[in-house]
């Protein structure tokens, strides 16, 4: 049996492998054992005396036993062999199936790679075809001329929305064809003549429509801004001409500029002429100067039977500002003055109100026109400024001429100053609107105003300098009350300071020079008028009252920081100091003289000379003790009557008493000197606290 033989061979091999394994195990154990013990065992010979025959016998028995076991289990071994053969067959078929499946999988992977490659090629072809389709469709759309567009260009009115849309489409087609170039597309050669014909038709209709709208600007009483809004809605008409017919576009631009220039010229010429007719009749004239002396002529018999009425003008309105400065604040952006409405209602205005209305109208039209030109004619920077100047130049010249004529007739310094500040505010308005500021124009207007203001103020200075003081005297003398010329000056100065504050700017060097010149002329006049007073005391009272009038008139927080206020305040203080000395001199002049002389010697160290004043000190103390109380009462009653401003009189009275107490303290300090300390008369000096109590009694209740 071959299979059995194989099994025996395998079994024999297993035994051999087992024996080798056992031998290897023994050898491994032997290597681990103690070498000395191994040597000892080999030397003794235990376990190694078995003979070769015994070994052979034992092996033969084992072989026979094994053969017998195989014979006894032959059937089982045969069945096992049969099963192994069956398993071999099954595994062989499975291996063949797996090899077949492996081959199939390899072909499927290759098919998938082929399909992926084919899909990529198909996708690329699709993308290319879509790109070609889009470009080809766009190209066809660009060159194709629809019947709808042709009908809209040829038959539709230019005011219709459809015409504007067709014009956009036509411009788009022509522009794209020009950008693409003719190339090899034969269809373009067929389409271009049609597009050129439509373009000529569109240019004619657009040109006629734009010219018609501009001719409407010339109609009387027409609101040109309505037509401008219509032009802006169809601003593409001009853009179309600009791209396809530069000659027509230039014609439209020139026609518009010429039309608007004439329109603005006519409008502002008529508006300025009608506006300045609304000027108030009762305005300042060349005779309304600071130094103009008011005189009332006595009424004779002729005046009783005369039918004419003598109108006495209120000079206060010429020099006081009232609420006129609101033209710089609340009324600045107020409504424009409508001449015919004001005429019907018999309303007249100050010059600054008329000036504001004219300049505000000019600024509004100036700004609006610049924005329209940049939006409609598609220009900017220098080109826009140049076009705008052409459109507005004639109107600007007529406004300048009107202002120059009216300014040359003005004698109202307040109005002129207000107009100067208005010019500054209008410049700021133009800057906020981001339009050209017309610097040359405003500088010219401001130059007119400053020239006239300097002239008018010079008239005031000269009139004050030319005042004949003798004509101001009544009954051979001047009273000490504030003079009306000074009141005029105070009102006018206050007006200028108020205008500067309302304008939001500091007083410039030009205005500062004007105010200083005015103050200098008034100061000279007061010096000449004070010289006409009968007493030195009245001279000081007169100056104090007039300076106080000026300060009280311009007495506000802003004006107090001005240079003029500081100058006048210094002059008033000087006059008050002189007045105090003048008042004290009749009452305690001896004491003042004694104190001044002794302090001078003491400061110089002339103690020997101070001894001479030891004899005089008794007289000084005796006179003061006897006269100080009547002196206080006399000074109190005198000061209350001298000053028109009771608060000022009270302050000056306190200044006088304070000065008196200072002299007493200085005298007391002198009496403590070694030269006078031993003089028994020094102890008789009245106590300063007693004098101060009496002074407090005289303090006014207001």
């Amino acid at each position: 049996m071959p299979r059995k033989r194989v099994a025996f061979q395998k079994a024999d091999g297993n035994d051999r492998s087992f024996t080798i394994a056992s031998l290897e195990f023994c050898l491994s154990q032997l290597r681990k054992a103690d070498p000395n013990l191994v040597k000892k065992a080999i030397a003794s010979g235990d376990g190694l005396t078995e003979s070769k025959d015994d070994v052979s016998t034992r092996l033969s028995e084992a072989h026979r036993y094994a053969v017998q076991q195989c014979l006894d289990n032959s059937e089982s071994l045969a069945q096992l062999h049969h099963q192994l053969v069956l398993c071999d067959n099954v595994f062989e078929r499975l291996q063949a199936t797996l090899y077949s499946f492996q081959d199939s999988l390899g072909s499927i992977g290759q098919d998938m790679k082929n399909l992926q490659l084919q899909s990529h090629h198909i996708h690329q072809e699709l993308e290319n075809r879509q790109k070609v389709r889009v470009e080809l469709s766009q190209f066809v759309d660009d060159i194709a001329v629809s019947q709808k567009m042709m009908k809209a260009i040829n038959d539709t009115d230019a005011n219709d929305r459809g015409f504007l849309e067709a014009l956009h489409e036509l411009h788009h087609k022509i522009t794209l064809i020009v950008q693409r170039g003719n190339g090899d597309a034969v269809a373009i050669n067929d389409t271009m003549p049609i597009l050129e014909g439509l373009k000529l038709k569109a240019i004619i209709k657009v040109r006629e429509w734009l010219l018609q709208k501009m001719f409407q600007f010339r109609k009387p009483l027409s609101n040109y801004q309505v037509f401008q809004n219509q032009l802006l809605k169809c601003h593409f008409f001009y853009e179309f001409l600009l791209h396809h017919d530069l000659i027509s576009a230039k014609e439209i631009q020139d026609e518009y500029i010429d039309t608007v220039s004439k329109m603005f010229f006519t409008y502002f010429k008529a508006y300025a002429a009608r506006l300045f007719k609304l000027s108030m009749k009762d305005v300042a004239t060349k005779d309304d100067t600071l130094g103009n002396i008011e005189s009332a002529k006595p009424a004779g018999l002729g005046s009783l039977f005369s039918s004419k009425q003598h109108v006495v003008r209120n000079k206060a309105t010429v020099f006081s500002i009232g609420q006129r400065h609101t033209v710089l604040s609340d009324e600045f952006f107020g409504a424009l003055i409508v001449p015919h409405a004001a005429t019907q209602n018999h309303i007249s205005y100050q010059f600054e109100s008329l000036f504001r209305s004219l300049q505000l109208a000019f600024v509004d039209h100036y700004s609006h026109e610049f924005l329209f030109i940049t939006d409609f004619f598609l220009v900017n920077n220098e080109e826009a400024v140049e076009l705008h100047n052409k459109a507005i130049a004639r109107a600007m010249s007529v406004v300048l001429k009107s202002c120059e004529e009216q300014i040359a007739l003005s004698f109202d310094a307040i109005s002129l100053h207000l107009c100067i500040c208005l010019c500054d505010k209008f410049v700021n308005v133009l800057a906020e609107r981001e339009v050209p500021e017309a610097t040359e124009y405003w500088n010219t207007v401001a130059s007119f105003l400053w020239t006239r203001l300097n002239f008018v103020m010079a008239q005031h200075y000269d009139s004050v300098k030319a005042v004949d003081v003798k004509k101001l005297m009544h009954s051979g003398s001047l009273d000490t009350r504030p003079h009306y010329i000074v009141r005029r000056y105070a009102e006018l100065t206050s007006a200028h300071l108020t205008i500067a504050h309302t304008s939001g700017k500091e007083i410039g060097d030009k205005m500062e020079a004007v105010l200083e010149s005015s103050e200098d002329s008034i100061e000279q006049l007061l010096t000449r008028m004070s010289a006409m007073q009968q007493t030195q005391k009245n001279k000081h009272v007169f100056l104090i009252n007039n300076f106080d009038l000026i300060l009280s008139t311009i007495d506000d927080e802003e004006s107090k920081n001005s240079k003029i206020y500081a100058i006048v305040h210094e002059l008033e203080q000087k006059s008050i100091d002189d007045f105090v000395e003048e008042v004290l001199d009749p009452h305690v002049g001896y004491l003042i003289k004694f104190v001044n002389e002794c302090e001078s010697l003491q400061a110089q160290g002339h103690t020997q000379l101070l001894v001479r004043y030891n004899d005089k000190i008794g007289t000084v103390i005796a006179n003061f003790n006897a006269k100080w109380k009547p002196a206080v009462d006399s000074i109190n009653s005198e000061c209350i009557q001298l000053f028109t401003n009771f608060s000022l009189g009270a302050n000056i009275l306190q200044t006088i008493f304070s000065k008196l107490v200072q002299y007493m303290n200085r005298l007391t300090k002198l009496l403590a000197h070694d030269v006078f300390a031993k003089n028994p008369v020094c102890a008789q000096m009245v106590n300063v606290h007693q004098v101060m109590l009496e002074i407090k009694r005289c303090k006014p209740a207001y």
Side-chain angles (χ1 to χ4, degrees):
M1 297 175 64
R3 183 68 62 183
K4 288 182 179 179
R5 191 164 49 249
V6 172
F8 291 153
Q9 292 174 357
K10 290 181 179 179
D12 187 55
N14 289 335
D15 290 340
R16 189 182 296 112
S17 62
F18 174 78
T19 304
I20 294 171
S22 299
L23 182 60
E24 290 178 352
F25 176 76
C26 291
L27 291 174
S28 64
Q29 292 295 322
L30 184 62
R31 282 193 297 268
K32 295 179 181 179
D34 188 1
N36 297 325
L37 291 177
V38 174
K39 290 179 179 179
K40 186 177 180 180
I42 294 173
S44 62
D46 292 339
L48 301 175
T49 60
E50 191 175 3
S51 64
K52 210 184 256 189
D53 295 333
D54 294 335
V55 172
S56 299
T57 303
R58 290 179 62 186
L59 290 174
S60 298
E61 290 177 357
H63 178 69
R64 284 194 298 272
Y65 177 78
V67 170
Q68 186 61 41
Q69 288 293 324
C70 289
L71 292 174
D72 293 339
N73 296 315
S74 60
E75 293 181 0
S76 299
L77 291 173
Q79 291 178 0
L80 179 62
H81 178 263
H82 179 70
Q83 291 176 358
L84 289 172
V85 171
L86 291 177
C87 288
D88 266 347
N89 294 333
V90 171
F91 281 119
E92 186 176 358
R93 289 195 301 272
L94 179 61
Q95 183 180 10
T97 302
L98 290 175
Y99 279 132
S100 176
F101 184 68
Q102 183 179 7
D103 295 339
S104 299
L105 286 177
S107 63
I108 290 173
Q110 186 63 36
D111 292 341
M112 290 180 66
K113 290 181 179 179
N114 294 334
L115 289 175
Q116 184 179 8
L117 185 60
Q118 291 176 8
S119 175
H120 178 72
H121 290 321
I122 292 172
H123 179 70
Q124 187 66 40
E125 291 176 359
L126 178 61
E127 285 186 351
N128 294 337
R129 289 179 181 181
Q130 286 178 344
K131 290 180 180 179
V132 171
R133 180 183 178 183
V134 171
E135 293 184 1
L136 186 60
S137 299
Q138 185 65 42
F139 177 74
V140 172
D141 291 340
D142 291 342
I143 66 173
V145 181
S146 64
Q147 291 292 330
K148 181 181 178 182
M149 186 185 75
M150 294 176 63
K151 185 177 180 180
I153 295 294
N154 291 319
D155 302 332
T156 305
D157 186 76
N159 293 309
D160 194 271
R161 181 70 181 176
F163 176 78
L164 181 60
E165 294 175 355
L167 194 66
H168 274 283
E169 185 179 356
L170 177 61
H171 170 70
H172 178 71
K173 291 180 180 298
I174 296 174
T175 303
L176 287 179
I177 290 176
V178 172
Q179 290 177 353
R180 289 175 181 272
N182 293 335
D184 298 329
V186 180
I188 293 179
N189 298 328
D190 298 334
T191 306
M192 279 305 296
I194 300 175
L195 293 176
E196 287 294 333
L198 291 175
K199 183 178 77 171
L200 293 176
K201 181 65 176 179
I203 288 173
I204 293 172
K205 292 182 70 173
V206 167
R207 175 181 175 277
E208 290 178 353
W209 187 87
L210 291 173
L211 290 175
Q212 182 183 3
K213 288 298 178 184
M214 291 177 187
F215 290 153
Q216 292 178 351
F217 283 34
R218 303 177 182 180
K219 292 181 180 180
L221 304 179
S222 63
N223 187 351
Y224 79 99
Q225 292 186 358
V226 174
F227 304 127
Q228 282 186 335
N229 291 333
Q230 294 175 0
L231 288 174
L232 286 175
K233 290 179 181 178
C234 300
H235 67 90
F236 183 72
F237 285 2
Y238 178 79
E239 186 177 352
F240 184 82
L241 291 180
L242 195 63
H243 284 89
H244 303 290
D245 190 357
L246 286 175
I247 297 176
S248 296
K250 180 63 176 172
E251 178 189 5
I252 294 298
Q253 186 183 96
D254 293 342
E255 184 64 31
Y256 175 82
I257 296 299
D258 183 63
T259 300
V260 170
S261 178
K262 292 178 180 178
M263 180 190 68
F264 282 147
F265 174 79
T266 304
Y267 168 75
F268 280 105
K269 183 178 181 181
Y271 184 67
R274 295 174 183 174
L275 189 67
F276 287 120
K277 289 181 180 179
L278 302 176
S279 180
M280 295 179 66
K281 304 301 179 183
D282 190 20
V283 294
T285 65
K286 63 179 180 179
D287 296 326
D288 294 322
T289 57
L290 288 175
N292 186 25
I293 300 176
E294 296 177 344
S295 58
K297 294 183 179 180
L301 293 176
S303 63
L304 296 175
F305 301 99
S306 175
S307 60
K308 296 182 179 180
Q309 295 182 355
H310 296 279
V311 179
V312 179
R313 295 181 63 253
N314 185 9
K315 299 284 185 181
T317 58
V318 177
F319 304 105
S320 61
I321 191 170
Q323 297 298 318
R324 294 170 65 180
H325 60 284
T326 55
V327 74
L328 295 172
S329 53
D330 299 338
E331 298 177 6
F332 181 68
F333 283 114
L336 298 179
I337 298 174
V338 182
H340 69 273
T343 303
Q344 291 176 358
N345 296 324
H346 305 289
I347 301 176
S348 57
Y349 298 89
Q350 293 280 5
F351 175 73
E352 65 271 10
S353 297
L354 303 177
F355 181 84
R356 179 205 70 88
S357 183
L358 177 62
Q359 299 300 336
L360 181 59
F362 175 76
V363 166
D364 286 343
H365 288 289
Y366 180 92
S367 307
H368 178 82
E369 192 59 30
F370 180 80
L371 297 176
F372 174 81
I373 287 175
T374 54
D375 291 342
F376 185 77
F377 291 108
L378 305 176
V379 292
N380 51 30
N381 300 331
E382 295 182 0
E383 188 177 0
V385 174
E386 183 180 358
L387 273 180
H388 183 245
N389 289 339
K390 290 180 180 179
I392 211 74
R394 297 184 66 187
M396 187 180 292
S397 64
V398 75
V399 173
L400 276 176
K401 184 177 179 182
S402 299
C403 291
E404 183 180 12
E405 292 174 352
Q406 296 300 321
I407 291 171
L409 299 175
S410 176
F411 288 90
D412 190 348
I414 295 176
S415 181
L416 294 171
H417 192 185
L418 285 169
C419 291
I420 290 172
C421 294
L422 283 172
C423 290
D424 294 335
K425 292 184 74 69
F426 282 125
V427 171
N428 294 335
V429 169
L430 291 177
E432 292 173 359
R433 295 179 181 179
E434 297 182 353
V435 299
E437 297 180 6
T439 306
E440 184 177 354
Y441 169 80
W442 295 113
N443 288 342
T444 303
V445 176
S447 177
F448 293 155
L449 291 167
W450 275 113
T451 301
R452 189 62 186 178
L453 177 61
N454 289 328
F455 173 79
V456 173
M457 292 303 295
Q459 294 290 98
H460 288 305
Y461 312 151
D462 295 340
S463 67
V464 171
K465 293 176 182 178
V467 169
D468 188 355
V469 179
K470 294 181 179 180
K471 293 183 179 180
L472 301 176
M473 299 174 62
H474 301 284
S475 301
S477 64
L478 282 171
D479 57 28
T480 58
R481 292 175 298 178
H483 199 270
Y484 62 83
I485 293 179
V486 179
R487 183 176 295 278
R488 291 177 187 172
Y489 161 77
E491 293 287 349
L492 184 59
T493 302
S494 176
H496 286 308
L497 295 175
T498 301
I499 292 169
H501 170 64
T502 308
S503 67
K505 293 185 177 181
E506 297 182 356
I507 300 177
D509 295 337
K510 289 184 178 180
M511 200 64 228
E512 200 72 71
V514 168
L515 294 178
E516 288 182 15
S517 298
S518 180
E519 188 279 329
D520 184 63
S521 63
I522 287 295
E523 184 180 348
Q524 294 178 17
L525 176 64
L526 289 176
T527 302
R528 290 190 290 127
M529 293 174 68
S530 64
M532 304 301 294
Q533 296 292 333
Q534 295 180 348
T535 63
Q536 193 69 14
K537 184 188 300 183
N538 287 346
K539 172 183 177 180
H540 297 312
V541 171
F542 173 78
L543 292 175
I544 292 171
N545 281 331
N546 282 278
F547 288 139
D548 179 69
L549 171 64
I550 298 173
L551 294 177
S552 59
T553 304
I554 60 176
D555 186 19
D556 57 76
E557 292 300 325
E558 290 76 21
S559 299
K560 284 182 177 180
N561 297 325
S562 64
K563 189 175 181 180
I564 292 300
Y565 188 93
I567 293 174
V568 177
H569 185 266
E570 183 179 354
L571 292 172
E572 183 190 39
Q573 288 301 317
K574 182 178 182 304
S575 298
I576 290 175
D577 293 340
D578 294 341
F579 173 76
V580 169
E581 296 293 337
E582 193 68 29
V583 169
L584 289 176
D585 186 68
H587 301 286
V588 291
Y590 55 91
L591 185 146
I592 296 173
K593 182 180 179 182
F594 179 84
V595 169
N596 289 334
E597 291 177 356
C598 291
E599 285 181 344
S600 177
L601 293 175
Q602 184 181 3
Q604 297 174 10
H606 299 314
T607 308
Q608 300 281 340
L609 298 177
L610 278 177
V611 178
R612 302 177 183 178
Y613 288 88
N614 227 330
D615 298 336
K616 299 179 180 180
I617 195 170
T619 306
V620 171
I621 292 176
N623 287 336
F624 183 77
N625 291 342
K627 298 179 180 179
W628 74 266
K629 194 169 185 179
V632 170
D633 294 335
S634 176
I635 292 172
N636 181 36
S637 60
E638 183 180 12
C639 288
I640 293 298
Q641 298 175 0
L642 288 176
F643 299 100
T644 55
N645 186 340
F646 293 109
S647 177
L648 175 65
N651 292 335
I652 293 177
L653 180 62
Q654 293 302 313
T655 303
I656 295 172
F657 289 150
S658 298
K659 195 71 172 179
L660 176 61
V661 172
Q662 289 178 12
Y663 279 121
M664 287 186 62
N665 290 328
R666 289 164 65 183
L667 178 61
T668 304
K669 186 177 180 181
L670 282 173
L671 295 180
H673 194 273
D674 295 339
V675 177
F676 306 114
K678 297 180 181 180
N679 195 328
V681 182
C682 295
Q684 300 176 7
M685 179 69 182
V686 65
N687 193 295
V688 68
H689 296 290
Q690 184 178 354
V691 177
M692 292 178 67
L693 287 174
E694 187 66 21
I695 289 174
K696 289 182 180 179
R697 184 182 61 82
C698 298
K699 187 176 181 180
Y702 49 84

